[in-house]
C-alpha cells in the first residue's frame, strides 16, 4: 500500500530568482537520499514536496528526510478526495488512532486551493464539530491540544496529518557552490563539513594519510565519516592523498618545532591544487582559534598565506564542548574517537612554535623540492565516491 509524506522547506526565506534553483536541487537531493527505498515518487507542488512510498518504508524514509538540509519538517499524511465526507472520515480515523484517553484536539485547516466548498474557518468549525460528535471522550482545546489534526486543501486533494517531524533546516547541498573539506580522522573536521553542507555546499573531502605509518584503520575511519556526512548532503567524493614522502622530507630536514606548520602549508598547497583541478571554489577545515598551539592566529596566517583560495573555518566560534556536542548529534563522534593515528598525530612535535615567522618557514621550504613532492602526491591521489550509509529500517 502506498502512503504519503509531505515535506516542507524554508520557502518563505527564499528570494525571487534563487527559489526554483533551490527547489530543483532539493528535489534531486531527496530522490538521492531515498535510493534503495523504491518504488517511490517525489512530486513538487506549490511549496510542498509530496512523496508517495510503500507503507512499510515510510518510517525509514522519514528518518532519512530528517537529515536532508533544506527540509524544515515532514509529516506522514493521508490524501483523500476534495470532499467533506472523505475528509471527515479520514480525520476521524486519525483521531481514533491516538490511544490517549480523554484526548483534547483541534483542527487546523489550510487552503491553497481556493475553490473548495468551505472557507478555512468553516472547515475548522465543521470538521471540529463532526469529530467532537463522533470521537469517543474527546474535547476541543484550541490553545494546548494533545492532538492537532491538520488538513491542507490543495489542487491535488485534501491532505490530513497529525504528526510533524523536524528536519535540519539550512540549504540544500549544491545550491551554494562546491567546497573541499580537509578531513582528518578527528572530531572537528567532520563537524566543519556538516556545517558546510548545512549552508548548501556540495562537498568533496581530502584526507592525507601516511602509509605504512598510518594503517587501514585510519582510512576506514575516514570512509565511515564520509558515509555519515553523505546522509546529509548526498554522495561525497573522497580524495586520499599519500603524504608519507612529504612528511619524511620535512622531518629529515626541518626543525621539529616548525613541523606542524610546514605540514599544514604543504597540505593546503596540495588541497588547493586539487580543488582547482576539480573546479572547487573554497577549502574548509576543522580549525578553531586557539584550541591548540598550531591554531593561533599567527599559525593560521602562516598556513593560509600559501593559498589564494578562500579557506573557511566553520568552527571558529565554537568551544571544544560545543563541537563534541555537535559531533554526537550528527553521529560522527563515535567514529572520530576510534583510536587510529592520523598522519599528524604520528609526528607531532612536543613544542610547536606558537608564533612562527614567515621567513623561517620559507627558508625551510627552500631546502626542499616542494614542487616535485606536491606534484608527486597529486599524481598518486586516489578518488572514491562514497554513498550515504543507510539502514533500510533504521
Ligand atoms: P580535527 O579534529 O579535525 O583533527 P583538530 O582540532 O585535531 O581537528 P588539527 O589536528 O590541528 O586540529 O587539524 C586542523 C585541521 O587540519 C583539521 O580540522 C583538518 O581540517 C585539517 N587536517 C589535519 N590533519 C589532516 C589530515 N590528515 N587530512 C586532511 N586534513 C587534515
Ligand atoms: Mg586532529
Amino acid at each position: 500500500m502506498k502512503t504519503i509524506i509531505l515535506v516542507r522547506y524554508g520557502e518563505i526565506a527564499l528570494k525571487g530568482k534563487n527559489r526554483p534553483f533551490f527547489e530543483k536541487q532539493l528535489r534531486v537531493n531527496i530522490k538521492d537520499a531515498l535510493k534503495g527505498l523504491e518504488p517511490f515518487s517525489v512530486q513538487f507542488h506549490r511549496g510542498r514536496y509530496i512523496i508517495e512510498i510503500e507503507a512499510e518504508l515510510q518510517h525509514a524514509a522519514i528518518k532519512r528526510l530528517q537529515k536532508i538540509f533544506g527540509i524544515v519538517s515532514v509529516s506522514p499524511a493521508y490524501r483523500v478526495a476534495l470532499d467533506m465526507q472523505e475528509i471527515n472520515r479520514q480525520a476521524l480515523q486519525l483521531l481514533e488512532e491516538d490511544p490517549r484517553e480523554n484526548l483534547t484536539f483541534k483542527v487546523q485547516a489550510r487552503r491553497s486551493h481556493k475553490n473548495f466548498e468551505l472557507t478555512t474557518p468553516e472547515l475548522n468549525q465543521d470538521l471540529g464539530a463532526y469529530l467532537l460528535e463522533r470521537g469517543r471522550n474527546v474535547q476541543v482545546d484550541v490553545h494546548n491540544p494533545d492532538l492537532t489534526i491538520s488538513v491542507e486543501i490543495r489542487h491535488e486533494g485534501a491532505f490530513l496529518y497529525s504528526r510533524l517531524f523536524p528536519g535540519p533546516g539550512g540549504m540544500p547541498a549544491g545550491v551554494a557552490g562546491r567546497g573541499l573539506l580537509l578531513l582528518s580522522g578527528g572530531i572537528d573536521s567532520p563537524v566543519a563539513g556538516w556545517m558546510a553542507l548545512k549552508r548548501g555546499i556540495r562537498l568533496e573531502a581530502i584526507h592525507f594519510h601516511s602509509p605504512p605509518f598510518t594503517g587501514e584503520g585510519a582510512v576506514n575511519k575516514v570512509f565511515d565519516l564520509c558515509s555519515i556526512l553523505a546522509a546529509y548532503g548526498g554522495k561525497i567524493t573522497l580524495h586520499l592523498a599519500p603524504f608519507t614522502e612529504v612528511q619524511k622530507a620535512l622531518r629529515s630536514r626541518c626543525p621539529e618545532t616548525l613541523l606542524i606548520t610546514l605540514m599544514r602549508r604543504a597540505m593546503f598547497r596540495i588541497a588547493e591544487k586539487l580543488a582547482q583541478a576539480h573546479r572547487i571554489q573554497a577549502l574548509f577545515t576543522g580549525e578553531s582559534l586557539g584550541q591548540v598551539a598550531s591554531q593561533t592566529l599567527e599559525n593560521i596566517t602562516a598556513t593560509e598565506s600559501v593559498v589564494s583560495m578562500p579557506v573557511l573555518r566553520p568552527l571558529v566560534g565554537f568551544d571544544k564542548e560545543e563541537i563534541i556536542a555537535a559531533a554526537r548529534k550528527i553521529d560522527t563522534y563515535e567514529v572520530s574517537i576510534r583510536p587510529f593515528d592520523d598522519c599528524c598525530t604520528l609526528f607531532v612535535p612536543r613544542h610547536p612554535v606558537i608564533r612562527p615567522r614567515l621567513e623561517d618557514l620559507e627558508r625551510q621550504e627552500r631546502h626542499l623540492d616542494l614542487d616535485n613532492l606536491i606534484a608527486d602526491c597529486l599524481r598518486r591521489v586516489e578518488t572514491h565516491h562514497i554513498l550515504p550509509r543507510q539502514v533500510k529500517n533504521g
Side-chain angles (χ1 to χ4, degrees):
M1 197 187 76
K2 290 273 188 198
T3 53
I4 301 276
I5 304 170
L6 277 186
V7 176
R8 303 172 195 85
Y9 62 97
E11 48 176 323
I12 296 141
L14 287 174
K15 302 203 184 71
K17 274 191 283 183
N18 287 333
R19 198 169 165 148
F21 179 48
F22 180 110
E23 289 163 348
K24 231 169 106 183
Q25 184 69 56
L26 184 53
R27 180 153 182 261
V28 170
N29 295 357
I30 289 174
K31 287 172 100 172
D32 280 352
L34 296 182
K35 278 202 177 113
L37 302 182
E38 289 85 0
F40 62 81
S41 66
V42 182
Q43 306 289 329
F44 177 72
H45 292 288
R46 293 165 173 253
R48 293 270 189 280
Y49 297 85
I50 299 168
I51 299 174
E52 246 185 286
I53 192 159
E54 293 297 328
E56 76 265 21
L57 298 176
Q58 193 188 54
H59 175 72
I62 288 174
K63 286 220 140 167
R64 292 186 189 185
L65 293 166
Q66 282 192 279
K67 287 188 169 179
I68 301 178
F69 285 120
I71 291 181
V72 171
S73 65
V74 301
S75 289
Y78 294 96
R79 169 165 43 192
V80 298
L82 288 171
D83 170 273
M84 263 329 275
Q85 269 185 0
E86 290 277 304
I87 293 171
N88 285 342
R89 183 189 56 74
Q90 189 60 64
L92 185 61
Q93 188 190 322
L94 273 177
L95 190 70
E96 288 177 344
E97 276 172 11
D98 196 307
R100 287 173 285 189
E101 292 290 327
N102 302 319
L103 192 70
T104 60
F105 76 96
K106 80 167 178 185
V107 173
Q108 191 165 53
R110 202 184 129 123
R111 226 170 47 134
S112 64
H113 178 47
K114 297 294 174 200
N115 294 330
F116 188 64
E117 54 184 299
L118 301 180
T119 64
T120 308
E122 283 168 353
L123 181 57
N124 280 335
Q125 216 159 53
D126 286 15
L127 180 55
Y130 176 85
L131 294 174
L132 198 56
E133 189 191 312
R134 298 292 180 96
R136 267 177 290 117
N137 292 331
V138 293
Q139 299 254 301
V140 172
D141 181 347
V142 290
H143 300 297
N144 192 18
D146 299 324
L147 185 73
T148 299
I149 293 184
S150 299
V151 186
E152 291 194 10
I153 302 294
R154 307 171 60 84
H155 275 277
E156 314 81 53
F159 293 81
L160 289 91
Y161 54 88
S162 60
R163 281 180 302 162
L164 201 128
F165 298 93
M171 314 273 283
V175 301
R178 304 174 61 212
L180 180 64
L181 172 69
L182 280 81
L183 180 63
S184 69
I187 295 169
D188 304 346
S189 37
V191 177
W194 182 84
M195 293 182 86
L197 290 171
K198 181 175 180 195
R199 297 315 301 158
I201 294 291
R202 169 72 65 211
L203 210 58
E204 301 199 9
I206 183 168
H207 174 70
F208 295 91
H209 65 140
S210 297
F213 305 107
T214 55
E216 220 162 86
V219 169
N220 285 341
K221 223 172 137 169
V222 171
F223 273 98
D224 287 349
L225 289 170
C226 283
S227 72
I228 295 172
L229 287 179
Y232 299 96
K235 182 182 70 184
I236 293 199
T237 302
L238 168 66
H239 306 277
L240 285 177
F243 204 53
T244 318
E245 294 310 315
V246 178
Q247 273 187 311
K248 276 189 182 162
L250 289 172
R251 227 169 37 129
S252 62
R253 309 241 175 143
C254 309
E256 205 187 77
T257 51
L258 294 179
L259 267 184
I260 281 270
T261 316
L262 289 166
M263 258 162 48
R264 285 285 142 71
R265 282 162 66 95
M267 283 184 183
F268 272 47
R269 287 183 170 108
I270 293 166
E272 182 184 51
K273 286 230 157 59
L274 186 120
Q276 283 163 343
H278 288 80
R279 297 201 322 244
I280 292 172
Q281 301 141 286
L283 304 180
F284 285 82
T285 79
E287 291 162 306
S288 157
L289 264 182
Q291 214 185 71
V292 285
S294 63
Q295 294 179 9
T296 57
L297 204 47
E298 289 80 0
N299 256 309
I300 285 182
T301 309
T303 314
E304 185 152 337
S305 69
V306 301
V307 294
S308 56
M309 196 173 264
V311 180
L312 303 180
R313 300 177 174 84
L315 302 185
V316 76
F318 286 86
D319 303 336
K320 194 71 186 184
E321 286 69 31
E322 291 171 311
I323 298 170
I324 289 174
R328 286 187 197 279
K329 196 179 85 183
I330 67 171
D331 287 338
T332 53
Y333 185 74
E334 293 300 325
V335 178
S336 289
I337 60 171
R338 271 190 227 154
F340 285 105
D341 280 331
D342 94 330
C343 65
C344 294
T345 46
L346 275 181
F347 302 111
V348 218
R350 279 179 294 276
H351 305 291
V353 284
I354 291 173
R355 296 197 177 78
R357 295 191 325 170
L358 218 47
E359 59 263 38
D360 292 342
L361 296 164
E362 284 166 356
R363 180 149 31 81
Q364 293 302 326
E365 285 168 351
R366 277 197 294 275
H367 300 159
L368 307 163
D369 189 5
L370 211 52
D371 287 348
N372 261 326
L373 285 166
I374 288 173
D376 194 49
C377 170
L378 281 165
R379 250 195 311 278
R380 295 192 294 122
V381 164
E382 265 181 43
T383 297
H384 301 266
H385 299 286
I386 302 188
L387 295 170
R389 187 172 57 188
Q390 311 269 22
V391 218
K392 218 169 180 178
N393 300 310

